[in-house]
Amino acid sequence: MLGLLQGFAAGLMLSISFLDLAHNAMNSIGFLKGNLWFFAGVVFFAVVANFIPEPTLSQSSEVKGKKKNGDEGGKDIMKKHRRQVLFSGIITAIGISLHNFPEGMAVFLGSMKGLRVGINLALAIALHNIPEGVAVALPVYFATQSKWQAFKLATLSGFAEPLGVVIVAYVFPSSLSPEILEGLLGSVGGVMAFLTLHEMLPLAFDYAGQKQAVKAVFFGMAFMSASLYFLELSLPEEMSL
């Protein structure tokens, strides 16, 4: 079940990355510039990932641990698995926080056009965020066995939206080029794609098997695409995700 949920979460992330952020960047600033920004995000986080301590599992060490220490070796392996899953949950939280940031801006801008538009948009994004919160909370709960820790991290990832409102309302410079903003969002898409393919997908394969995990990935992508579509319908004509 954990592997299937990881595959589903990976599908959500890939859909956001390729079909939302990168797609919009290429439409707004051109195919070449959009791709350059996207791969700049990939390269940036590939470099950052080299400095992040990543729990790994070697097959030989698992076998030796089981033979030498019996139950203790099995417990050590489970601890490593839990650390690996926790790392995946934290990565998911970071990626979804980056995605939620512009959604907060969209709610603010929609509310400026009218209260009805703002409320509809806020409700649509709230429904759209439910599977994202689940994608963050489940691996954290599995790794820590603490509902409070899972709730806390999922909630923190959601705080990116009100932060987006604060920044667009008070801090964001009105002189910032729309091209740079779209490029930065394209880079966020590159970061999310790297995180998904480097961390979440291998974990889904390990736990659920390749065939089942791939099905879960495409189900997650279809679910997020439908969610983005209905979210787009709730936006006023002058705005776009």
Side-chain angles (χ1 to χ4, degrees):
M1 181 58 70
L2 180 71
L4 290 174
L5 291 169
Q6 283 290 304
F8 180 78
L12 298 180
M13 298 274 279
L14 288 174
S15 182
I16 292 168
S17 173
F18 290 113
L19 305 180
D20 183 18
L21 298 177
H23 172 75
N24 286 345
M26 284 185 273
N27 280 345
S28 299
I29 61 177
F31 183 82
L32 178 60
K33 289 182 180 179
N35 271 283
L36 289 174
W37 278 101
F38 178 85
F39 285 105
V42 172
V43 172
F44 168 75
F45 209 85
V47 173
V48 171
N50 288 328
F51 299 98
I52 299 175
E54 181 183 348
T56 55
L57 293 166
S58 65
Q59 200 71 19
S60 59
S61 66
E62 287 186 26
V63 175
K64 288 178 183 177
K66 286 180 180 177
K67 287 182 178 178
K68 288 183 180 179
N69 302 319
D71 291 340
E72 290 184 6
K75 288 178 182 178
D76 289 342
I77 292 166
M78 182 54 70
K79 285 180 181 178
K80 289 181 180 179
H81 274 294
R82 291 188 189 281
R83 285 199 299 270
Q84 192 177 27
V85 174
L86 178 62
F87 186 66
S88 172
I90 292 170
I91 283 170
T92 307
I94 293 170
I96 287 175
S97 295
L98 294 172
H99 169 70
N100 284 346
F101 187 79
E103 287 183 353
M105 295 181 176
V107 173
F108 176 81
L109 295 172
S111 300
M112 294 288 287
K113 293 183 178 296
L115 184 60
R116 184 178 179 181
V117 172
I119 290 174
N120 288 338
L121 186 55
L123 287 173
I125 287 181
L127 293 172
H128 162 79
N129 283 345
I130 290 172
E132 295 178 349
V134 170
V136 174
L138 279 170
V140 176
Y141 176 63
F142 175 84
T144 63
Q145 298 296 301
S146 168
K147 291 180 181 179
W148 170 243
Q149 292 294 332
F151 174 79
K152 188 165 61 175
L153 191 60
T155 303
L156 286 173
S157 71
F159 276 134
E161 287 189 17
L163 181 62
V165 173
V166 170
I167 289 181
V168 78
Y170 299 107
V171 182
F172 214 74
S174 56
S175 59
L176 184 67
S177 167
E179 182 174 323
I180 293 176
L181 178 60
E182 287 293 341
L184 289 172
L185 292 176
S187 293
V188 168
V191 169
M192 291 176 68
F194 180 86
L195 292 176
T196 304
L197 298 174
H198 187 257
E199 297 296 337
M200 297 175 67
L201 215 51
L203 199 61
F205 286 169
D206 286 344
Y207 279 93
Q210 186 172 344
K211 289 184 179 179
Q212 295 300 320
V214 167
K215 291 176 185 176
V217 167
F218 280 108
F219 183 74
M221 291 183 74
F223 189 93
M224 181 55 70
S225 296
S227 176
L228 289 170
Y229 172 73
F230 288 115
L231 185 59
E232 184 79 25
L233 289 181
S234 69
L235 287 167
E237 292 181 3
E238 297 84 355
M239 297 177 63
S240 173
L241 286 175

